[in-house]
Amino acid sequence: MKLEELVEVFAQNVAAQTEAIWRGDAKTGNKHARKYGAAVDKLLAHGDAGRDALLVLLGHERMDVRVMAAAHLLRYRTTEAKAVLEEAAKGQGLVPFEAGEALKRWEEGTWALDPG
């Protein structure tokens, strides 16, 4: 699968997981989480080329997709990823909460989504 296709799988499944969570459907949400997790694992296996491919999602129209991409790119593109997370964390709701949690884990040194 091409890097661009993996990025699309990641984005589609992050969005689908969010929609499932909002419906209260944890089983479906978990299914989508596994799919985007597998996609990001494949992207990261390509090293910086995979990380660079994921960068496009920092400008995605959906906040949940931007936040999840930023959370995975914190080590690689700290400034850009933190900016996305900080902006999202200003809001209220699930996605802003997730953004704030990613920033907290980063600041306390326990973040480990892409150890490099």
Side-chain angles (χ1 to χ4, degrees):
M1 190 175 287
K2 293 181 181 179
L3 295 178
E4 297 80 15
E5 293 169 331
L6 290 169
V7 168
E8 185 60 28
V9 168
F10 178 89
Q12 287 175 349
N13 282 283
V14 167
Q17 180 196 34
T18 301
E19 298 296 328
I21 290 169
W22 286 340
R23 289 191 314 271
D25 184 355
K27 182 177 179 182
T28 300
N30 289 338
K31 177 184 83 168
H32 290 294
R34 285 188 295 275
K35 287 182 180 180
Y36 78 69
V40 80
D41 287 347
K42 289 176 184 174
L43 285 164
L44 297 178
H46 286 276
D48 288 348
R51 291 175 186 91
D52 286 337
L54 197 57
L55 281 170
V56 69
L57 296 181
L58 294 183
H60 196 274
E61 63 188 28
R62 288 184 60 122
M63 184 192 309
D64 55 344
V65 174
R66 289 192 308 271
V67 163
M68 193 60 69
H72 283 85
L73 291 168
L74 269 169
R75 184 194 57 79
Y76 182 63
R77 286 294 187 84
T78 305
T79 302
E80 297 96 320
K82 279 182 73 174
V84 168
L85 294 170
E86 288 167 350
E87 183 62 30
K90 292 177 185 176
Q92 294 184 1
L94 177 64
V95 177
F97 173 77
E98 291 171 341
E101 289 299 302
L103 287 167
K104 282 182 196 175
R105 300 302 157 263
W106 178 256
E107 295 301 326
E108 55 187 36
T110 59
W111 174 93
L113 294 177
D114 178 17

